[in-house]
Amino acid sequence: MLLMYVLGGYLFILNAYTFMLMGVDKRRAARRESRRRVPEKHFFTAAFIGGAAGVWAGMKWWRHKTQHRAFSVGIPYLLAIHLIALIVLGWLLAKNAAG
């Protein structure tokens, strides 16, 4: 049970961070601060380690990077993989706790 709380906290913090990071990058893009922009690999790294939902929500909320094919396809793909992994993990933990 502790594992679920730790994982939930980790995912909440990471996704909140990636959501806000998408907003920061959008603001910098609007101001034409090209040298201070967030690198795309930073978004993908954060999305890969669990922040895909935050990046996706930030894309939709701020309408940022929605025209980039790597983002419009890659981020939902990572999000789907994360959701499947969470469902399987929850099922395994529930099965272990019951048996």
Side-chain angles (χ1 to χ4, degrees):
M1 192 60 137
L2 177 63
L3 175 65
M4 292 303 282
Y5 288 121
V6 170
L7 182 61
Y10 166 78
L11 290 175
F12 178 79
I13 290 169
L14 182 60
N15 282 289
Y17 167 74
T18 57
F19 179 80
M20 289 185 283
L21 191 64
M22 187 64 77
V24 167
D25 191 55
K26 172 68 175 190
R27 187 171 42 244
R28 288 177 180 173
R31 292 179 182 171
R32 308 269 187 218
E33 296 178 26
S34 60
R35 68 182 191 102
R36 301 195 72 205
R37 297 278 305 276
V38 179
E40 289 186 357
K41 71 178 182 178
H42 190 84
F43 287 118
F44 279 105
T45 301
F48 181 77
I49 61 172
V55 173
W56 182 80
M59 285 173 56
K60 299 297 179 182
W61 185 267
W62 283 292
R63 297 182 183 139
H64 187 51
K65 298 208 180 278
T66 56
Q67 300 298 314
H68 294 252
R69 191 155 192 73
F71 280 88
S72 65
V73 174
I75 297 300
Y77 180 75
L78 282 172
L79 181 57
I81 290 172
H82 290 160
L83 290 175
I84 291 168
L86 284 173
I87 290 168
V88 169
L89 179 64
W91 179 75
L92 288 173
L93 288 173
K95 185 179 175 183
N96 246 1

